[in-house]
Amino acid sequence: MKNWFLFSSKVCGWLFAVPAVIWLCVACYFWVNRIDRQFSWEKATAVVTDICEVGEGDNTYQHSCLTFTEPQTGKSVTVKNQFGSSPQPIYPIGDSVEVIFPAGQPEEAMENTFIVNYMLPVLFTIAAFMFGVVSFVSFVVARKMERKITAAP
């Protein structure tokens, strides 16, 4: 019975270690991508000009439509905010919001907030950390069991 518990602890450790490493790699990719985005994308100040509703009934979400002037060409660009809220919009009409966008692609603009930029990296980092803790505890339990089994007469 002890050998079975030892074996299952090691298997559990590896089953949680592999996703932890994968999620940590994905989190690192997102962190590097988001940090690069902060330093290489252009910034502009947008104004909320309209509120767009998406969905029906209780599943209705409101998105802010952001309008800004592209610094290079001077043309006016309107984009829909990526995050919606219910029952009230995140930003009321007339609010100023900083947006970032790749050079020459103002239609790809997104608001420059912590949630928009860093939600995915934070979630993947937390998931990797949680799976890593479970894996670590499983390996520690397996090691203690192994010592008990080898020390027992």
Side-chain angles (χ1 to χ4, degrees):
M1 184 69 165
K2 288 181 182 180
N3 287 336
W4 181 85
F5 186 73
L6 173 65
F7 175 75
S8 62
S9 294
K10 287 182 179 180
V11 168
C12 179
W14 282 110
L15 285 176
F16 278 86
V18 171
V21 169
I22 291 171
W23 285 5
L24 188 60
C25 291
V26 171
C28 287
Y29 167 77
F30 278 115
W31 280 112
V32 168
N33 181 286
R34 295 316 196 261
I35 290 169
D36 179 55
R37 179 185 292 177
Q38 277 298 316
F39 292 109
S40 65
W41 283 22
E42 294 189 33
K43 293 181 170 101
T45 301
V47 176
V48 178
T49 55
D50 192 17
I51 305 297
C52 308
E53 287 192 8
V54 177
E56 295 178 3
D58 291 340
N59 294 329
T60 302
Y61 295 95
Q62 298 180 347
H63 297 268
S64 303
C65 291
L66 309 172
T67 302
F68 65 97
T69 303
E70 183 184 7
Q72 291 179 346
T73 63
K75 96 176 176 181
S76 181
V77 179
T78 301
V79 294
K80 186 172 76 170
N81 188 356
Q82 292 181 338
F83 281 90
S85 64
S86 178
Q88 296 179 346
I90 296 174
Y91 302 108
I93 293 176
D95 268 10
S96 293
V97 180
E98 184 179 52
V99 293
I100 57 174
F101 58 93
Q105 297 176 322
E107 61 279 348
E108 299 293 323
M110 59 180 58
E111 65 179 283
N112 191 18
T113 61
F114 184 82
I115 295 291
V116 171
N117 288 324
Y118 299 110
M119 185 174 65
L120 278 176
V122 167
L123 289 177
F124 278 112
T125 302
I126 290 171
F129 178 74
M130 290 182 351
F131 270 66
V133 166
V134 172
S135 176
F136 179 76
V137 168
S138 295
F139 284 130
V140 168
V141 167
R143 179 175 229 160
K144 285 185 179 184
M145 283 296 295
E146 202 167 31
R147 286 182 183 164
K148 276 186 180 180
I149 290 172
T150 55

